[in-house]
Amino acid sequence: MLSSLATGTILTMTSYHWLMAWVGLEMNTLAIIPIISTMHNPRATKAATKYFLTQASASAMILFSSMINAWQTGTWDITNLSSEPAHILLTMALAMKLGLVPMHFWLPEVLQGSTMTTALIITTWQKLAPMTLIYLNINNLSTAVLILLGLLSSIIGGWGGLNQTQTRKIMAFSSIAHLGWMITVSSIMTNIMIMNLVIYLIMTTALFCSLILSKSKTIQDTTTAWTLSPTLTAMMMILLLSLGGLPPLTGFMPKWLILEELIIQNLIPTATTLAVSTLLSLFFYLRLTYTTTLTLSPNTIQTEFKWRFKLKSMTFFMAPLSTISILLLPLTPLMLL
């Protein structure tokens, strides 16, 4: 299933023909459905059904968009999308695939119904194919619509996460907010969008590795994570602050460059709204850092602490990814070259 998932994404990323891109997206969707529903409980089945319906609808819209374009222009080339209805359909379809506002409702629900590892795949790997299609079609899509989608996503991604207690739902809203930043800058400077995507993938993977290792499914679980490994909890705190975009951590770099680019393009109100929306996201990251590291919650005698057994899961990826997620800011000039 995982190899089919990878093949589907790579097929979409390397294709020039709309039908091949669509086939890649379909392979991707069909491969992850069994992965989501491996838990054999009603919530996992419900999550898999929701995921299938939204992704199938988005794929159908992509197919309609490419058919309309082929009908009017006679070409199936991905970069030659010149028909106006095709642009609108494609924007809506890709927003649905990525989970951008207002087509974001499926993402927190699907993540909550799946395991931590599956949630990691959905928030990282599953974003690559739609982002590639946005990158290829960026000259044809409406700048105003993309900026509006990005602004709404960053605001609602922060707002929706304020009231959550489940770490997977918090990560879902965090993902929506981060994608909002990427989509806002995509029509202005694609290089920054790609860099933001790479940093987002690294930071999210690092944090999910920490959550998987400490088995933290709710905020309450994070309060007893220190018994497993104090170093891990300290690392989680810095990772969360990096995701929130605080200097001098890696997460500050894409936000800084995006705001700078928006100000250069004289989009001051857009930049201000994005900066203010970050405060919303920062609140729930700070709440997680507080419960993880800065406080011992009033636990009852019956509370089970985690035993420090020999680790069964691999920490091979976690160490380099966590380091990159924290210390990359000084390399900003190198990345801009």
Side-chain angles (χ1 to χ4, degrees), residues 129-263:
M131 284 306 258
T132 309
L133 290 176
I134 285 180
Y135 182 79
L136 289 172
N137 283 292
I138 202 65
N139 295 329
N140 305 320
L141 301 177
S142 163
T143 308
V145 172
L146 287 177
I147 288 176
L148 183 65
L149 282 173
L151 279 176
L152 284 172
S153 298
S154 62
I155 293 165
I156 290 175
W159 218 333
L162 292 179
N163 209 22
Q164 301 301 332
T165 55
Q166 305 281 336
T167 49
R168 277 166 294 186
K169 280 196 173 177
I170 287 175
M171 290 310 292
F173 284 108
S174 153
S175 170
I176 292 165
H178 276 278
L179 284 164
W181 280 79
M182 283 176 233
I183 296 301
T184 306
V185 82
S186 61
S187 53
I188 298 164
M189 199 165 183
T190 46
N191 294 358
I192 294 181
M193 179 189 84
I194 299 293
M195 189 203 67
N196 193 352
L197 179 63
V198 170
I199 288 175
Y200 158 75
L201 294 177
I202 291 168
M203 290 194 300
T204 308
T205 310
L207 187 58
F208 261 114
C209 286
S210 305
L211 293 173
I212 290 165
L213 198 65
S214 59
K215 296 187 178 66
S216 302
K217 291 187 174 66
T218 61
I219 291 183
Q220 194 179 355
D221 290 342
T222 60
T223 57
T224 55
W226 61 272
T227 57
L228 179 75
S229 166
T231 320
L232 180 70
T233 51
M235 205 67 162
M236 270 173 75
M237 180 185 86
I238 302 169
L239 272 174
L240 284 159
L241 293 177
S242 184
L243 265 170
L246 289 184
L249 305 168
T250 306
F252 177 60
M253 186 206 304
K255 287 184 167 50
W256 175 25
L257 294 175
I258 288 169
L259 289 176
E260 187 183 29
E261 193 58 40
L262 287 171
I263 290 163

